[in-house]
Amino acid sequence: MSAPVSDALDLTEAERTRVLAKSALFDPPSLELPDGRRDIVGLSREELAAEVAAIGEPAFRVKQIWHWVYHQGVTDFDRMSSIARPLQRKLAERFVIGRPDIVLAQTSEDETRKFLFRFRDGQEAETVYIPDREEDRGAVCISSQVGCTLSCRFCHTGTQTLVRNLGSAEIVGQFMAARDAYGEWPSPKGETPRLLSTIVLMGMGEPLYNYANVAKAMRIVMDHEGIGLSRRRITLSTSGVVPMMDRCGAELGVNLAVSLHAVRDDLRDELVPLNRKYPIAELMAACRRYPGASNARRITFEYVMLRGINDSEAEARELVRLIAGLPAKVNLIPFNPWPGSRYEPSTRTTVERFAKLVNDAGFSAPVRTPRGRDILAACGQLRTESRRERRVPVLPGTEGP
Ligand code: SAH
Ligand code: SF4
């Protein structure tokens, strides 16, 4: 006999509590600098309001500061021209408007630009700007963790252990530093930036295993009086943390991308080991529950094409069967090899045949051209390469070379 529905809901809630508690163990160091100042970036609006009240300033200052930090992108209190000098000084004594340091910035022939950012404790993460020439805009691919607890077989980040979660300041900071690099803040005339107006949470790490910080960062990014991206311009990619998918849909309502990569549990167990915990049937049920999925806002299924592993015609047909009835599209990603990886990309003909089968069934199935091959764009690779070049000593608890 199956458990009553309310029991099932309690179980999911218990599972969510467990996931959140575990993820809190990997939280970043505090926002406070050695000199006692705090970073304004990454504070929620409520937290900023509390800070402003604590220094005896009226509530309308919150709106002003928020506007300068997140709409204008200033990094210096001196430039907040609507705020009188004495208050500018008072703020500068207590706060900084932080950005991660740029360790590396490489631009590929196809204009993909990859950044390696370093945070205050020396940890590093990758951010990629992917231009969309047709649309004159582009996406910023943001990391959510340093390393990853999951170890998907084809993923380079999966070879690194999880060092820690990124905090909300570090998540928003990647986007803001990328905008700095492109001079993409509103001009004094108020023109809105277009180049960097989309976020994909598809960099290093599993965003739903760092939900609290990711959610806080996305709320900051979506706030109308600041960066003001709509939830339609944000896509969160998950390897399938089922209980947190529901929470993400209910609270953030951003677009969802699901890293499927296999249509049978035996193969997915191997490629995406999280499947052993949340198998395909549960994952697909969570996709069907995901709010707001419609033809205008389809769920994206990512499918990395591995030669001879998951690229047969039978698998294309099974994929179509799995997503039948869902507003969905499929991104076919040619496998991006990295030194030591055990797979090869599928041949062009195989990818095209696979795409045609999915297409003929009525689903858009674009083949994502690999971007920035010449700059090691396989996720997680830049960080490893950079550490190797600088011969960073391997500390206990961090990954090996
Ligand atoms: N952890 C999340 C988001 C980061 S990975 C997730 O797994 O969805 C972002 C996407 O890149 C995922 O679909 C992942 O499967 C894919 N990916 C990872 N390594 C890859 C590689 N070497 N080649 C092609 N795609 C890869
Ligand atoms: Fe982690 Fe995503 Fe890489 Fe899997 S594919 S190891 S979940 S970053």
Side-chain angles (χ1 to χ4, degrees):
M1 213 172 75
S2 63
V5 173
S6 62
D7 280 7
L9 289 178
D10 286 351
L11 276 179
T12 315
E13 196 48 47
E15 181 75 350
R16 263 195 287 275
T17 310
R18 195 192 58 79
V19 170
L20 287 166
K22 198 166 167 196
S23 125
L25 299 175
F26 290 95
D27 265 351
S30 92
L31 287 178
E32 198 167 303
L33 276 69
D35 63 11
R37 289 184 298 167
R38 290 199 67 185
D39 201 340
I40 275 195
V41 174
L43 295 179
S44 67
R45 240 180 133 112
E46 297 71 33
E47 286 168 341
L48 181 61
E51 295 281 352
V52 166
I55 58 168
E57 290 297 324
F60 72 87
R61 294 291 183 203
V62 177
K63 195 171 166 146
Q64 283 180 325
I65 298 170
W66 191 272
H67 183 86
W68 283 112
V69 173
Y70 292 114
H71 188 74
Q72 300 290 342
V74 306
T75 49
D76 203 331
F77 292 100
D78 291 358
R79 290 195 45 212
M80 299 187 172
S81 55
S82 59
I83 292 177
R85 287 254 171 249
L87 179 54
Q88 286 180 2
R89 273 197 296 273
K90 193 168 163 187
L91 290 170
E93 278 163 19
R94 291 164 174 82
F95 302 106
V96 291
I97 307 167
R99 294 286 194 272
D101 292 332
I102 300 185
V103 182
L104 276 172
Q106 297 178 333
T107 310
S108 171
E109 277 168 14
D110 61 15
E111 287 176 26
T112 302
R113 193 184 293 183
K114 192 146 188 172
F115 300 93
L116 182 68
F117 288 126
R118 184 176 304 145
F119 304 106
R120 222 165 268 139
D121 63 350
Q123 290 301 338
E124 294 170 352
E126 302 173 11
T127 306
V128 188
Y129 173 66
I130 308 161
D132 179 338
R133 286 209 201 84
E134 280 154 35
E135 276 207 54
D136 183 29
R137 55 163 83 227
V140 187
C141 175
I142 286 181
S143 292
S144 56
Q145 298 182 308
V146 181
C148 188
T149 42
L150 302 168
S151 35
C152 303
R153 276 276 187 66
F154 50 84
C155 172
H156 193 269
T157 305
T159 65
Q160 309 173 4
T161 50
L162 176 67
V163 177
R164 68 170 175 82
N165 285 330
L166 293 178
S168 56
E170 296 166 329
I171 297 169
V172 180
Q174 293 172 62
F175 180 76
M176 296 175 86
R179 272 201 169 172
D180 293 349
Y182 284 86
E184 267 266 306
W185 292 100
S187 68
K189 285 189 219 123
E191 287 143 6
T192 346
R194 276 188 61 82
L195 280 177
L196 280 70
S197 53
T198 302
I199 288 181
V200 292
L201 282 154
M202 289 186 186
M204 300 167 67
E206 170 49 59
L208 294 186
Y209 272 159
N210 182 19
Y211 181 75
N213 291 305
V214 166
K216 192 172 173 189
M218 292 307 110
R219 286 194 180 104
I220 293 172
V221 162
M222 291 192 281
D223 187 293
H224 293 307
E225 287 173 358
I227 295 169
L229 294 193
S230 99
R231 60 196 164 85
R232 289 160 207 279
R233 302 222 68 92
I234 300 172
T235 301
L236 182 145
S237 173
T238 181
S239 54
V241 186
V242 166
M244 299 313 293
M245 286 165 67
D246 291 315
R247 173 69 55 96
C248 173
E251 293 184 351
L252 302 177
V254 295
N255 299 323
L256 184 69
V258 172
S259 296
L260 190 63
H261 309 317
V263 291
R264 296 187 325 267
D265 279 325
D266 60 342
L267 181 60
R268 196 164 188 271
D269 280 353
E270 200 182 303
L271 298 178
V272 185
L274 184 65
N275 194 68
R276 294 177 203 154
K277 195 171 234 160
Y278 308 115
I280 294 176
E282 280 186 37
L283 177 59
M284 297 311 298
C287 291
R288 288 178 200 282
R289 290 195 298 270
Y290 198 78
S294 66
N295 281 332
R297 291 188 73 209
R298 290 170 292 182
I299 294 182
T300 304
F301 289 91
E302 291 158 280
Y303 198 93
V304 59
M305 300 287 293
L306 306 168
R307 188 184 299 184
I309 304 284
N310 65 354
D311 59 358
S312 71
E313 291 186 23
E315 281 157 315
R317 278 189 281 270
E318 181 58 22
L319 172 60
V320 166
R321 209 188 56 76
L322 273 180
I323 63 178
L326 259 176
K329 74 169 193 176
V330 180
N331 276 351
L332 297 173
I333 318 167
F335 170 61
N336 196 348
W338 34 274
S341 59
R342 64 179 89 187
Y343 300 110
E344 285 178 66
S346 303
T347 63
R348 223 191 142 109
T349 354
T350 314
V351 176
E352 279 162 13
R353 203 177 300 139
F354 198 100
K356 185 167 185 313
L357 280 165
V358 180
N359 248 308
D360 288 351
F363 295 100
S364 148
V367 179
R368 289 281 161 220
T369 33
R371 310 301 296 263
R373 272 200 195 272
D374 54 324
I375 53 159
L376 305 172
C379 160
Q381 218 174 318
L382 198 63
R383 173 169 176 259
T384 301
E385 287 297 314
S386 139
R387 286 164 73 88
R388 191 169 292 143
E389 268 163 35
R390 285 178 286 120
R391 298 183 197 285
V392 176
V394 179
L395 304 169
T398 65
E399 85 275 18

